[in-house]
Amino acid sequence: MDGLCRRCGECCRKSSPTLHYEDIELIHRGIIPLKELYTLRAGQRVFDNIKGEVDYLKNELVKIKEKPGSHECIFFDHVSISCSIYEYRPLQCRVFFCEKPELLKELFSQKKPERQDIIKDSEMLKIIDAHNKRVDIKGFVRSVESLKGELDEPITELVLYDLHFREFIHHKLGIPSEELSFYFGTPLSDILRDYGLELEIRI
Ligand code: SF4
Ligand code: SF4
């Protein structure tokens, strides 16, 4: 497979990989730091590259971040036009070859690791569980999609709660802000933006 790839980096510019169980070790060894990951929670609306359409996630996914304002993988190095962790690139990157997209289809159907498979700290898992229950993503997406016009109060309250929760965890527990989208998924304020909605936050 590697012999056929021209290593042009085109695929790395278009998207970042979703992690598989085989990749967890890369996190624990510090090759892929938590700050370079984010979580898509079950129920979130995503673009399904295989189906070529928008769908709702049935299971949680952990992905490598894209560079801000683009779909390019955070590990893609523009100068050398190469992957900065090539030797340790995730399974999806090792299997993918643009001329044989069918190779990836089998991987896509496999169960992927969730945050609970990666995080060893049981206290943090309890905090994530509490956040999941309070910030119910499926209910949130349903409410946003049924909005007729402006943001309503329950949605506004939940978005603010999510923001304050993250700030609290950052300041009180010392969790770096770059790791929060791994621990607690995409902020609701960002999801709102995907629907063309913006919350005006006054301080
Ligand atoms: S898989 Fe294809 S697009 Fe990706 S680096 Fe190789 S040749 Fe380029
Ligand atoms: S991890 Fe490396 S190989 Fe995989 S998409 Fe990112 S830059 Fe490309």
Side-chain angles (χ1 to χ4, degrees):
M1 252 176 290
D2 276 353
L4 301 171
C5 171
R6 299 181 301 282
R7 294 180 67 173
C8 65
E10 205 44 45
C11 50
C12 313
R13 289 190 178 96
K14 287 184 182 160
S15 67
S16 66
T18 298
L19 297 188
H20 287 71
Y21 284 97
E22 290 84 342
D23 303 318
I24 293 178
E25 190 203 349
L26 298 174
I27 302 171
H28 292 155
R29 288 169 66 192
I31 293 164
I32 300 179
L34 294 183
K35 71 181 177 69
E36 309 297 17
L37 297 173
Y38 70 102
T39 300
L40 292 171
R41 293 165 64 198
Q44 234 174 295
R45 192 180 70 159
V46 292
F47 186 79
D48 187 322
N49 281 322
I50 293 290
K51 290 188 200 160
E53 61 188 28
V54 170
D55 203 355
Y56 299 88
L57 277 183
K58 291 182 184 53
N59 300 102
E60 179 170 309
L61 299 177
V62 177
K63 286 182 66 75
I64 287 183
K65 283 182 182 171
E66 294 100 10
K67 291 178 188 165
S70 80
H71 295 294
E72 188 170 295
C73 176
I74 200 87
F75 289 118
F76 184 68
D77 180 353
H78 268 289
V79 180
S80 58
I81 314 182
S82 64
C83 171
S84 57
I85 55 163
Y86 187 78
E87 197 185 334
Y88 303 105
R89 65 202 186 286
L91 179 66
Q92 189 179 313
C93 306
R94 283 184 271 132
V95 170
F96 179 77
F97 178 46
C98 55
E99 288 174 27
K100 290 188 179 171
E102 66 277 10
L103 294 173
L104 211 54
K105 278 195 178 168
E106 195 193 315
L107 266 195
F108 267 59
S109 59
Q110 287 179 9
K111 181 161 171 19
K112 320 279 191 306
E114 304 190 357
R115 287 169 288 181
Q116 63 188 20
D117 300 308
I118 296 169
I119 299 166
K120 293 174 177 169
D121 180 347
S122 59
E123 289 307 308
M124 181 52 93
L125 287 172
K126 282 183 201 160
I127 296 171
I128 289 171
D129 193 43
H131 177 261
N132 272 344
K133 285 184 178 132
R134 178 69 174 83
V135 183
D136 164 33
I137 198 81
K138 288 181 189 165
F140 177 75
V141 167
R142 260 198 314 273
S143 303
V144 171
E145 291 186 347
S146 63
L147 270 181
K148 297 193 175 47
E150 300 202 338
L151 291 178
D152 62 18
E153 209 177 305
I155 290 179
T156 303
E157 269 180 18
L158 198 58
V159 174
L160 288 175
Y161 174 86
D162 183 51
L163 284 173
H164 293 149
F165 182 93
R166 287 162 198 262
E167 270 174 35
F168 177 83
I169 296 292
H170 170 56
H171 291 297
K172 294 289 177 191
L173 299 187
I175 301 292
S177 50
E178 299 90 346
E179 294 181 3
L180 295 173
S181 59
F182 163 69
Y183 283 117
F184 305 109
T186 316
L188 296 191
S189 52
D190 287 1
I191 295 177
L192 267 190
R193 254 176 242 126
D194 290 343
Y195 287 89
L197 297 162
E198 193 88 34
L199 184 67
E200 196 181 327
I201 300 169
R202 297 196 178 118
I203 49 170

